[in-house]
Amino acid sequence: MAYNLLKGKRGIITGALNENSIAWKVAEKAHEEGATFVLTNAPVAMRMGEINALAEKTNSQVIPADATSIEDLTNLFTQSQEVLGGKIDFVLHSIGMSVNMRKNIPYTESNYDYFLKGIDISALSFHKMLSVARQLDAINEWGSVVALTYMAAQRTYPFYTDMADIKSMLESIARSFGYHYGVEKKVRINTVSQSPTKTTAGTGIKGFGDFFDYADAISPLGNADAASCADFCVALFSDLTRMVTMQNLFHDGGYSTTGVSAEVLNKMGITS
């Protein structure tokens, strides 16, 4: 059901690869709630994905941009304002990539060139995006910026390798930049720590299926799917959350605050 939470609002949504992407679901939900926005992704990701179909479905324009490039980001924010007819009200940062993880390199043997590349793509891109937006004064007062993260930034998950450190940096940038942008322009910046989700990126992690089932068994509400994450992001874009900023918000069915569940104990043959 649509409530027009974003009626009249303009945005930029990054990272929509295909219909399994959280960013794809966010775009669909934002469109349903009355927003207009541009879609963007790196040119190489656009060739692999189906973003043009999403653009047609949501009456959106696609502006290619490498999020590690200041020049591309400047063009993205400049063109977006021209296309949308004004300043931006919300931005979704849904960008993450680890070469070490893709190549199955153990954390303790990390290739540092790959590590730095992962930092640039997955964390520094967030700082660059915010810096460019601020310099161009591209985001309206009380605008909202949301980045997707994962709780490996707080707890150790061996399979998440260097992305755990990278997500920690991403969350720190949200807090640090959130202070400055909040004081200057009342712009809100938050991160959403999502459940294991069956996206193209998620399912590519070794052992993802088993961990997905484990997290689902721990969480009192079960794993949050991509569609419900989109609902949460749209709520954060809306004026209903205008006093929420600099927060890392867990959207995981209660997984992050559950020590152990009866279901997991039962599966281990332990009964109380």
Side-chain angles (χ1 to χ4, degrees), residues 178-213:
Y179 172 80
H180 295 287
Y181 223 157
V183 168
E184 293 177 8
K185 291 290 182 178
K186 306 300 182 189
V187 172
R188 299 167 281 148
I189 304 174
N190 295 289
T191 53
V192 171
S193 188
Q194 169 69 1
S195 294
T197 310
K198 293 182 178 179
T199 62
T200 301
T203 53
I205 298 172
K206 185 178 181 181
F208 174 84
D210 291 335
F211 179 66
F212 180 91
D213 293 340

mmCIF file of all heavy atoms in Angstrom, residues 178-213:
data_model
loop_
_atom_site.group_PDB
_atom_site.id
_atom_site.type_symbol
_atom_site.label_atom_id
_atom_site.label_comp_id
_atom_site.label_asym_id
_atom_site.label_seq_id
_atom_site.Cartn_x
_atom_site.Cartn_y
_atom_site.Cartn_z
ATOM 1 N N GLY A 178 28.078 13.031 9.191
ATOM 2 C CA GLY A 178 26.740 13.348 9.662
ATOM 3 C C GLY A 178 26.725 14.533 10.610
ATOM 4 O O GLY A 178 25.791 15.342 10.595
ATOM 5 N N TYR A 179 27.758 14.637 11.428
ATOM 6 C CA TYR A 179 27.851 15.785 12.334
ATOM 7 C C TYR A 179 27.981 17.087 11.537
ATOM 8 O O TYR A 179 27.215 18.042 11.731
ATOM 9 C CB TYR A 179 29.042 15.641 13.282
ATOM 10 C CG TYR A 179 29.263 16.904 14.084
ATOM 11 C CD1 TYR A 179 28.492 17.184 15.216
ATOM 12 C CD2 TYR A 179 30.198 17.850 13.669
ATOM 13 C CE1 TYR A 179 28.660 18.375 15.913
ATOM 14 C CE2 TYR A 179 30.375 19.033 14.356
ATOM 15 C CZ TYR A 179 29.602 19.294 15.483
ATOM 16 O OH TYR A 179 29.762 20.478 16.153
ATOM 17 N N HIS A 180 28.953 17.130 10.649
ATOM 18 C CA HIS A 180 29.231 18.376 9.920
ATOM 19 C C HIS A 180 28.071 18.773 9.009
ATOM 20 O O HIS A 180 27.669 19.941 8.973
ATOM 21 C CB HIS A 180 30.516 18.212 9.096
ATOM 22 C CG HIS A 180 31.734 18.031 9.951
ATOM 23 N ND1 HIS A 180 32.298 19.069 10.666
ATOM 24 C CD2 HIS A 180 32.489 16.930 10.221
ATOM 25 C CE1 HIS A 180 33.362 18.627 11.328
ATOM 26 N NE2 HIS A 180 33.487 17.337 11.076
ATOM 27 N N TYR A 181 27.519 17.804 8.283
ATOM 28 C CA TYR A 181 26.426 18.103 7.362
ATOM 29 C C TYR A 181 25.151 18.460 8.132
ATOM 30 O O TYR A 181 24.340 19.265 7.676
ATOM 31 C CB TYR A 181 26.167 16.905 6.451
ATOM 32 C CG TYR A 181 25.935 17.242 4.993
ATOM 33 C CD1 TYR A 181 26.166 16.286 4.007
ATOM 34 C CD2 TYR A 181 25.482 18.489 4.594
ATOM 35 C CE1 TYR A 181 25.958 16.564 2.660
ATOM 36 C CE2 TYR A 181 25.274 18.788 3.252
ATOM 37 C CZ TYR A 181 25.508 17.819 2.290
ATOM 38 O OH TYR A 181 25.293 18.101 0.956
ATOM 39 N N GLY A 182 25.001 17.864 9.309
ATOM 40 C CA GLY A 182 23.855 18.179 10.143
ATOM 41 C C GLY A 182 23.901 19.607 10.661
ATOM 42 O O GLY A 182 22.910 20.339 10.616
ATOM 43 N N VAL A 183 25.067 20.017 11.157
ATOM 44 C CA VAL A 183 25.226 21.381 11.673
ATOM 45 C C VAL A 183 25.018 22.406 10.565
ATOM 46 O O VAL A 183 24.347 23.427 10.748
ATOM 47 C CB VAL A 183 26.626 21.551 12.303
ATOM 48 C CG1 VAL A 183 26.924 23.022 12.578
ATOM 49 C CG2 VAL A 183 26.725 20.737 13.590
ATOM 50 N N GLU A 184 25.576 22.121 9.394
ATOM 51 C CA GLU A 184 25.548 23.103 8.308
ATOM 52 C C GLU A 184 24.211 23.174 7.580
ATOM 53 O O GLU A 184 23.710 24.255 7.268
ATOM 54 C CB GLU A 184 26.652 22.784 7.293
ATOM 55 C CG GLU A 184 28.055 22.977 7.835
ATOM 56 C CD GLU A 184 29.114 22.575 6.828
ATOM 57 O OE1 GLU A 184 28.756 22.292 5.663
ATOM 58 O OE2 GLU A 184 30.297 22.530 7.205
ATOM 59 N N LYS A 185 23.623 21.991 7.282
ATOM 60 C CA LYS A 185 22.465 21.963 6.394
ATOM 61 C C LYS A 185 21.316 21.086 6.888
ATOM 62 O O LYS A 185 20.353 20.866 6.145
ATOM 63 C CB LYS A 185 22.902 21.457 5.004
ATOM 64 C CG LYS A 185 23.788 22.429 4.245
ATOM 65 C CD LYS A 185 23.000 23.666 3.793
ATOM 66 C CE LYS A 185 23.875 24.604 2.997
ATOM 67 N NZ LYS A 185 23.125 25.787 2.497
ATOM 68 N N LYS A 186 21.419 20.569 8.115
ATOM 69 C CA LYS A 186 20.386 19.680 8.657
ATOM 70 C C LYS A 186 20.215 18.408 7.816
ATOM 71 O O LYS A 186 19.153 17.781 7.837
ATOM 72 C CB LYS A 186 19.035 20.399 8.760
ATOM 73 C CG LYS A 186 19.059 21.696 9.544
ATOM 74 C CD LYS A 186 19.517 21.486 10.968
ATOM 75 C CE LYS A 186 19.477 22.790 11.755
ATOM 76 N NZ LYS A 186 20.113 22.666 13.092
ATOM 77 N N VAL A 187 21.267 18.028 7.072
ATOM 78 C CA VAL A 187 21.215 16.794 6.283
ATOM 79 C C VAL A 187 21.477 15.610 7.201
ATOM 80 O O VAL A 187 22.417 15.632 8.003
ATOM 81 C CB VAL A 187 22.238 16.824 5.130
ATOM 82 C CG1 VAL A 187 22.322 15.465 4.440
ATOM 83 C CG2 VAL A 187 21.857 17.901 4.123
ATOM 84 N N ARG A 188 20.630 14.599 7.098
ATOM 85 C CA ARG A 188 20.728 13.402 7.938
ATOM 86 C C ARG A 188 21.523 12.319 7.219
ATOM 87 O O ARG A 188 21.324 12.096 6.028
ATOM 88 C CB ARG A 188 19.322 12.864 8.229
ATOM 89 C CG ARG A 188 18.433 13.840 8.964
ATOM 90 C CD ARG A 188 16.982 13.375 8.932
ATOM 91 N NE ARG A 188 16.319 13.665 7.671
ATOM 92 C CZ ARG A 188 15.370 12.919 7.138
ATOM 93 N NH1 ARG A 188 15.006 11.786 7.714
ATOM 94 N NH2 ARG A 188 14.786 13.272 6.007
ATOM 95 N N ILE A 189 22.395 11.640 7.953
ATOM 96 C CA ILE A 189 23.202 10.564 7.374
ATOM 97 C C ILE A 189 23.164 9.362 8.310
ATOM 98 O O ILE A 189 23.551 9.456 9.478
ATOM 99 C CB ILE A 189 24.656 11.012 7.148
ATOM 100 C CG1 ILE A 189 24.703 12.263 6.264
ATOM 101 C CG2 ILE A 189 25.466 9.878 6.513
ATOM 102 C CD1 ILE A 189 26.082 12.855 6.095
ATOM 103 N N ASN A 190 22.691 8.237 7.798
ATOM 104 C CA ASN A 190 22.576 7.011 8.593
ATOM 105 C C ASN A 190 23.038 5.804 7.786
ATOM 106 O O ASN A 190 23.083 5.842 6.548
ATOM 107 C CB ASN A 190 21.120 6.793 9.016
ATOM 108 C CG ASN A 190 20.607 7.874 9.953
ATOM 109 O OD1 ASN A 190 21.005 7.949 11.102
ATOM 110 N ND2 ASN A 190 19.723 8.731 9.441
ATOM 111 N N THR A 191 23.368 4.735 8.508
ATOM 112 C CA THR A 191 23.639 3.449 7.857
ATOM 113 C C THR A 191 22.609 2.434 8.324
ATOM 114 O O THR A 191 22.145 2.474 9.465
ATOM 115 C CB THR A 191 25.057 2.934 8.166
ATOM 116 O OG1 THR A 191 25.262 2.902 9.583
ATOM 117 C CG2 THR A 191 26.109 3.819 7.538
ATOM 118 N N VAL A 192 22.264 1.520 7.427
ATOM 119 C CA VAL A 192 21.328 0.441 7.740
ATOM 120 C C VAL A 192 22.091 -0.875 7.682
ATOM 121 O O VAL A 192 22.636 -1.250 6.641
ATOM 122 C CB VAL A 192 20.139 0.417 6.759
ATOM 123 C CG1 VAL A 192 19.294 -0.837 6.969
ATOM 124 C CG2 VAL A 192 19.281 1.668 6.952
ATOM 125 N N SER A 193 22.130 -1.559 8.828
ATOM 126 C CA SER A 193 22.815 -2.848 8.932
ATOM 127 C C SER A 193 21.782 -3.952 8.689
ATOM 128 O O SER A 193 20.974 -4.271 9.553
ATOM 129 C CB SER A 193 23.459 -2.981 10.320
ATOM 130 O OG SER A 193 24.277 -4.122 10.386
ATOM 131 N N GLN A 194 21.817 -4.505 7.501
ATOM 132 C CA GLN A 194 20.785 -5.410 7.018
ATOM 133 C C GLN A 194 21.096 -6.881 7.320
ATOM 134 O O GLN A 194 22.254 -7.273 7.420
ATOM 135 C CB GLN A 194 20.625 -5.193 5.505
ATOM 136 C CG GLN A 194 19.808 -6.194 4.745
ATOM 137 C CD GLN A 194 18.324 -6.153 5.081
ATOM 138 O OE1 GLN A 194 17.867 -5.355 5.885
ATOM 139 N NE2 GLN A 194 17.559 -7.034 4.472
ATOM 140 N N SER A 195 20.050 -7.684 7.453
ATOM 141 C CA SER A 195 20.196 -9.136 7.573
ATOM 142 C C SER A 195 20.962 -9.704 6.377
ATOM 143 O O SER A 195 21.038 -9.062 5.323
ATOM 144 C CB SER A 195 18.811 -9.803 7.560
ATOM 145 O OG SER A 195 18.043 -9.476 8.665
ATOM 146 N N PRO A 196 21.492 -10.922 6.514
ATOM 147 C CA PRO A 196 21.964 -11.618 5.312
ATOM 148 C C PRO A 196 20.812 -11.649 4.313
ATOM 149 O O PRO A 196 19.685 -12.015 4.662
ATOM 150 C CB PRO A 196 22.301 -13.025 5.813
ATOM 151 C CG PRO A 196 22.517 -12.872 7.271
ATOM 152 C CD PRO A 196 21.611 -11.767 7.720
ATOM 153 N N THR A 197 21.067 -11.241 3.095
ATOM 154 C CA THR A 197 20.008 -11.075 2.109
ATOM 155 C C THR A 197 20.408 -11.766 0.810
ATOM 156 O O THR A 197 21.559 -11.675 0.379
ATOM 157 C CB THR A 197 19.749 -9.569 1.847
ATOM 158 O OG1 THR A 197 19.582 -8.901 3.101
ATOM 159 C CG2 THR A 197 18.506 -9.359 1.002
ATOM 160 N N LYS A 198 19.454 -12.414 0.185
ATOM 161 C CA LYS A 198 19.739 -13.189 -1.027
ATOM 162 C C LYS A 198 19.820 -12.286 -2.250
ATOM 163 O O LYS A 198 18.981 -12.306 -3.150
ATOM 164 C CB LYS A 198 18.688 -14.280 -1.209
ATOM 165 C CG LYS A 198 18.754 -15.366 -0.136
ATOM 166 C CD LYS A 198 17.741 -16.469 -0.359
ATOM 167 C CE LYS A 198 17.885 -17.565 0.706
ATOM 168 N NZ LYS A 198 16.896 -18.650 0.530
ATOM 169 N N THR A 199 20.872 -11.468 -2.251
ATOM 170 C CA THR A 199 21.182 -10.633 -3.408
ATOM 171 C C THR A 199 22.271 -11.325 -4.229
ATOM 172 O O THR A 199 22.856 -12.325 -3.793
ATOM 173 C CB THR A 199 21.689 -9.263 -2.956
ATOM 174 O OG1 THR A 199 22.901 -9.448 -2.206
ATOM 175 C CG2 THR A 199 20.654 -8.548 -2.094
ATOM 176 N N THR A 200 22.578 -10.770 -5.391
ATOM 177 C CA THR A 200 23.651 -11.336 -6.214
ATOM 178 C C THR A 200 24.978 -11.289 -5.460
ATOM 179 O O THR A 200 25.747 -12.251 -5.464
ATOM 180 C CB THR A 200 23.771 -10.560 -7.537
ATOM 181 O OG1 THR A 200 22.520 -10.643 -8.235
ATOM 182 C CG2 THR A 200 24.873 -11.135 -8.415
ATOM 183 N N ALA A 201 25.238 -10.168 -4.774
ATOM 184 C CA ALA A 201 26.485 -10.029 -4.009
ATOM 185 C C ALA A 201 26.501 -10.964 -2.816
ATOM 186 O O ALA A 201 27.502 -11.624 -2.527
ATOM 187 C CB ALA A 201 26.659 -8.590 -3.560
ATOM 188 N N GLY A 202 25.382 -11.037 -2.089
ATOM 189 C CA GLY A 202 25.326 -11.859 -0.885
ATOM 190 C C GLY A 202 25.518 -13.328 -1.161
ATOM 191 O O GLY A 202 26.297 -14.015 -0.485
ATOM 192 N N THR A 203 24.819 -13.828 -2.163
ATOM 193 C CA THR A 203 24.886 -15.262 -2.455
ATOM 194 C C THR A 203 26.233 -15.667 -3.034
ATOM 195 O O THR A 203 26.535 -16.848 -3.118
ATOM 196 C CB THR A 203 23.763 -15.673 -3.419
ATOM 197 O OG1 THR A 203 23.801 -14.831 -4.586
ATOM 198 C CG2 THR A 203 22.396 -15.533 -2.757
ATOM 199 N N GLY A 204 27.038 -14.680 -3.425
ATOM 200 C CA GLY A 204 28.368 -14.986 -3.939
ATOM 201 C C GLY A 204 29.393 -15.236 -2.847
ATOM 202 O O GLY A 204 30.508 -15.664 -3.125
ATOM 203 N N ILE A 205 29.025 -14.995 -1.582
ATOM 204 C CA ILE A 205 29.934 -15.224 -0.461
ATOM 205 C C ILE A 205 29.960 -16.714 -0.120
ATOM 206 O O ILE A 205 28.908 -17.349 0.012
ATOM 207 C CB ILE A 205 29.491 -14.412 0.773
ATOM 208 C CG1 ILE A 205 29.534 -12.912 0.458
ATOM 209 C CG2 ILE A 205 30.377 -14.724 1.974
ATOM 210 C CD1 ILE A 205 28.945 -12.045 1.538
ATOM 211 N N LYS A 206 31.135 -17.274 0.031
ATOM 212 C CA LYS A 206 31.280 -18.695 0.341
ATOM 213 C C LYS A 206 30.548 -19.042 1.642
ATOM 214 O O LYS A 206 30.706 -18.369 2.661
ATOM 215 C CB LYS A 206 32.767 -19.046 0.469
ATOM 216 C CG LYS A 206 33.033 -20.534 0.669
ATOM 217 C CD LYS A 206 34.529 -20.808 0.730
ATOM 218 C CE LYS A 206 34.800 -22.295 0.916
ATOM 219 N NZ LYS A 206 36.258 -22.567 1.010
ATOM 220 N N GLY A 207 29.711 -20.075 1.592
ATOM 221 C CA GLY A 207 28.977 -20.517 2.769
ATOM 222 C C GLY A 207 27.775 -19.662 3.107
ATOM 223 O O GLY A 207 27.192 -19.798 4.190
ATOM 224 N N PHE A 208 27.365 -18.797 2.166
ATOM 225 C CA PHE A 208 26.274 -17.868 2.455
ATOM 226 C C PHE A 208 24.979 -18.594 2.819
ATOM 227 O O PHE A 208 24.272 -18.200 3.743
ATOM 228 C CB PHE A 208 26.022 -16.951 1.252
ATOM 229 C CG PHE A 208 24.813 -16.056 1.432
ATOM 230 C CD1 PHE A 208 24.927 -14.864 2.120
ATOM 231 C CD2 PHE A 208 23.573 -16.425 0.929
ATOM 232 C CE1 PHE A 208 23.825 -14.047 2.307
ATOM 233 C CE2 PHE A 208 22.465 -15.612 1.108
ATOM 234 C CZ PHE A 208 22.592 -14.420 1.796
ATOM 235 N N GLY A 209 24.663 -19.654 2.093
ATOM 236 C CA GLY A 209 23.407 -20.370 2.332
ATOM 237 C C GLY A 209 23.279 -20.881 3.757
ATOM 238 O O GLY A 209 22.233 -20.717 4.400
ATOM 239 N N ASP A 210 24.350 -21.485 4.264
ATOM 240 C CA ASP A 210 24.324 -22.006 5.632
ATOM 241 C C ASP A 210 24.194 -20.874 6.641
ATOM 242 O O ASP A 210 23.453 -20.979 7.625
ATOM 243 C CB ASP A 210 25.603 -22.811 5.921
ATOM 244 C CG ASP A 210 25.648 -24.114 5.136
ATOM 245 O OD1 ASP A 210 24.565 -24.617 4.765
ATOM 246 O OD2 ASP A 210 26.755 -24.619 4.901
ATOM 247 N N PHE A 211 24.919 -19.773 6.407
ATOM 248 C CA PHE A 211 24.837 -18.659 7.346
ATOM 249 C C PHE A 211 23.469 -17.995 7.294
ATOM 250 O O PHE A 211 22.940 -17.573 8.332
ATOM 251 C CB PHE A 211 25.926 -17.619 7.066
ATOM 252 C CG PHE A 211 25.842 -16.454 8.001
ATOM 253 C CD1 PHE A 211 26.082 -16.624 9.355
ATOM 254 C CD2 PHE A 211 25.471 -15.207 7.547
ATOM 255 C CE1 PHE A 211 25.963 -15.562 10.241
ATOM 256 C CE2 PHE A 211 25.352 -14.139 8.423
ATOM 257 C CZ PHE A 211 25.599 -14.316 9.778
ATOM 258 N N PHE A 212 22.895 -17.898 6.117
ATOM 259 C CA PHE A 212 21.552 -17.333 5.983
ATOM 260 C C PHE A 212 20.570 -18.115 6.855
ATOM 261 O O PHE A 212 19.771 -17.534 7.593
ATOM 262 C CB PHE A 212 21.102 -17.370 4.519
ATOM 263 C CG PHE A 212 19.729 -16.816 4.282
ATOM 264 C CD1 PHE A 212 19.552 -15.479 3.975
ATOM 265 C CD2 PHE A 212 18.602 -17.627 4.376
ATOM 266 C CE1 PHE A 212 18.279 -14.949 3.761
ATOM 267 C CE2 PHE A 212 17.334 -17.112 4.168
ATOM 268 C CZ PHE A 212 17.172 -15.770 3.863
ATOM 269 N N ASP A 213 20.660 -19.440 6.779
ATOM 270 C CA ASP A 213 19.760 -20.285 7.575
ATOM 271 C C ASP A 213 20.032 -20.129 9.070
ATOM 272 O O ASP A 213 19.105 -20.120 9.887
ATOM 273 C CB ASP A 213 19.913 -21.754 7.169
ATOM 274 C CG ASP A 213 19.422 -22.018 5.752
ATOM 275 O OD1 ASP A 213 18.643 -21.198 5.231
ATOM 276 O OD2 ASP A 213 19.835 -23.041 5.167
#
